[in-house]
Amino acid sequence: MSGSTRKLSDAGVSIWLDDLSRDRLTSGSLAELISAKNVVGVTTNPTIFAGALSKGAAYAEQMRQLAASGADVEEAVFAATTDDVRAACVVFEPIYSASKGYDGRVSIEVDPRLARDAEGTQKMARELYERVGRENVMIKIPATVEGLEPIAKTLAAGISVNVTLIFSLTRYREVINAYMLGLEEALKNGKDLSKIHSVASFFVSRVDSEVDTRLDEIGTEEALALKGKAGLANARLAYEVFEEMFSSERWARLASHGANVQRPLWASTGVKDPALPDTLYVIGLVAKHTVNTMPEATLNAVADHGEITGDTVTGEYTSSNKILDDIERLGISYVEVVDKLETEGLAKFDVSWEELLETVRKALSESR
């Protein structure tokens, strides 16, 4: 077992892998990462599934069976992705049981084309939960304005939720409010709150990618000195919001009924700028009650040379505020950046979903 990943886990960070494929399941690769690198969960998204289904022959037999049954492309995608998630849930069942639902989670996202459709999102969240049929599945719902209501209603039904695509501190507050609203309704519905879990996926590296491009355009010494700092600053201030809102009287009432905190999840932690350290968004975001979901390359880098020195978040609130203030003073609008990133994030998922549909459409056609 990697010493660095062990230290990360001991510091209160749950390591989740940001990847899933049938090859990874059948080869034993996933099980190996659990034992060797402290992986205790998995996240998926349309991009991951599009990549998985476009490579190799792992899905060929299932595609032949689906083609023979007359399944259309939407039904085939639903079948293939939920089967992979169900199988992964089985792999993580021992961790789920041992941690009482805290970890051992596998996330699957609603169709990204529904991101602005509250009713459609809620309906598909229920369908995904029922189709996977495993208690340790988490349904991913994007944190759009339209997504807040279905997040609350899905939680109220007793279904655990991974709220994804969060960029702004304001939206993060709204997500936590939706979580508490959902739990309050679940309590009225007679649900066992201790069984409901949620994470709030706060994206990190994409903030730097957007802000750093703008800093480069300004080009001054002051601007260039701020490169590679916005992503960590934004995430650290999100953790400050987490501490504040989960120490409120409102939360105390829910906690008294067995409710679990909605943990911050650091997403988009693969470093995109080669000038930055490849473990930056892991070693810089160590704090209790968090999740870091990593692509395998980042996980391997952390295991190989990540230096875990304890909490790197809670002592950085003042400096993080100063970084974002300094960036704003240079004329880079925080609101404009986070709004653009949300729009682009949804668009990227839409493109990946269309690629996924086209890959499956081709596979079904060739199997008929």
Side-chain angles (χ1 to χ4, degrees):
M1 185 175 287
S2 162
S4 294
T5 56
R6 178 73 265 167
K7 287 180 182 178
L8 194 59
S9 299
D10 290 343
V13 181
S14 293
I15 300 170
W16 291 7
L17 178 70
D18 192 30
D19 189 49
L20 184 64
S21 68
R22 196 153 298 177
D23 281 335
R24 191 179 285 285
L25 286 160
T26 57
S27 68
S29 165
L30 184 58
E32 173 65 19
L33 291 176
I34 291 170
S35 63
K37 294 175 182 171
N38 296 77
V39 170
V40 293
V42 157
T43 52
T44 68
N45 60 44
T47 303
I48 287 170
F49 279 129
L53 272 88
S54 66
K55 299 172 185 174
Y59 299 89
E61 179 56 34
Q62 184 174 25
M63 291 299 122
R64 282 193 290 272
Q65 293 175 3
L66 288 165
S69 71
D72 64 24
V73 64
E74 302 274 353
E75 291 167 338
V77 168
F78 196 73
T81 56
T82 55
D83 282 1
D84 280 1
V85 168
R86 186 183 309 106
C89 283
V90 173
V91 173
F92 281 105
E93 174 62 33
I95 293 171
Y96 173 75
S97 297
S99 67
K100 296 182 180 179
Y102 191 74
D103 282 313
R105 295 286 182 171
V106 184
S107 296
I108 184 170
E109 189 160 344
V110 296
D111 184 335
R113 296 171 299 181
L114 299 172
R116 305 293 186 189
D117 178 354
E119 185 177 342
T121 292
Q122 185 184 347
K123 181 174 181 287
M124 187 170 187
R126 166 66 73 174
E127 290 171 352
L128 285 169
Y129 177 76
E130 292 177 349
R131 183 65 171 266
V132 173
R134 305 292 300 195
E135 199 174 78
N136 52 329
V137 68
M138 267 188 168
I139 308 304
K140 289 179 79 174
I141 300 176
T144 57
V145 170
E146 297 85 352
L148 296 172
E149 182 180 354
I151 287 166
K153 288 186 174 180
T154 301
L155 289 160
I159 298 170
S160 295
V161 174
N162 177 340
V163 184
T164 188
L165 215 65
I166 306 171
F167 294 99
S168 84
L169 298 170
T170 298
R171 183 59 51 79
Y172 181 42
R173 287 182 179 277
E174 294 171 341
V175 165
I176 296 174
N177 179 61
Y179 178 59
M180 293 190 191
L181 283 172
L183 291 184
E184 287 160 352
E185 191 63 30
L187 189 61
K188 292 178 186 175
N189 294 342
K191 301 292 184 183
D192 180 355
L193 298 193
S194 70
K195 291 277 194 177
I196 304 171
H197 288 257
S198 182
V199 293
S201 297
F202 211 88
F203 281 52
V204 187
S205 69
R206 293 189 195 180
V207 174
D208 274 339
S209 295
E210 180 61 30
V211 170
D212 288 359
T213 297
R214 299 179 184 216
L215 291 170
D216 276 331
E217 290 172 355
I218 295 170
T220 63
E221 185 177 341
E222 181 186 8
L224 297 178
L226 289 165
K227 288 184 64 178
K229 295 182 178 180
L232 285 180
N234 197 39
R236 287 166 172 166
L237 293 176
Y239 193 81
E240 184 180 32
V241 171
F242 163 76
E243 289 190 311
E244 172 198 331
M245 294 191 71
F246 285 98
S247 60
S248 65
E249 289 185 13
R250 180 187 184 189
W251 175 249
R253 288 193 294 272
L254 289 165
S256 71
H257 291 281
N260 304 286
V261 296
Q262 181 189 53
R263 290 184 288 167
L265 180 151
W266 312 127
S268 183
T269 56
V271 173
K272 295 175 174 61
D273 182 350
L276 297 174
D278 56 2
T279 61
L280 179 66
Y281 303 122
V282 179
I283 63 174
L285 291 173
V286 178
K288 293 180 180 178
H289 308 301
T290 61
V291 178
N292 197 306
T293 181
M294 310 175 205
E296 189 171 12
T298 302
L299 175 61
N300 288 339
V302 171
D304 178 65
H305 53 267
E307 296 184 11
I308 310 303
T309 57
D311 186 331
T312 54
V313 174
T314 59
E316 302 294 332
Y317 299 151
T318 299
S319 61
S320 295
N321 270 308
K322 184 177 185 306
I323 287 167
L324 295 189
D325 287 345
D326 287 346
I327 290 169
E328 192 84 29
R329 273 195 292 272
L330 289 172
I332 298 173
S333 166
Y334 177 84
V335 172
E336 184 181 308
V337 166
V338 295
D339 286 351
K340 180 182 179 184
L341 288 171
E342 179 181 300
T343 301
E344 288 182 346
L346 291 172
K348 287 175 182 176
F349 278 173
D350 281 345
V351 169
S352 295
W353 195 260
E354 290 303 324
E355 290 174 354
L356 175 57
L357 292 174
E358 183 55 36
T359 298
V360 173
R361 187 178 291 112
K362 183 179 178 182
L364 289 173
S365 176
E366 292 174 348
S367 299
R368 289 190 169 109

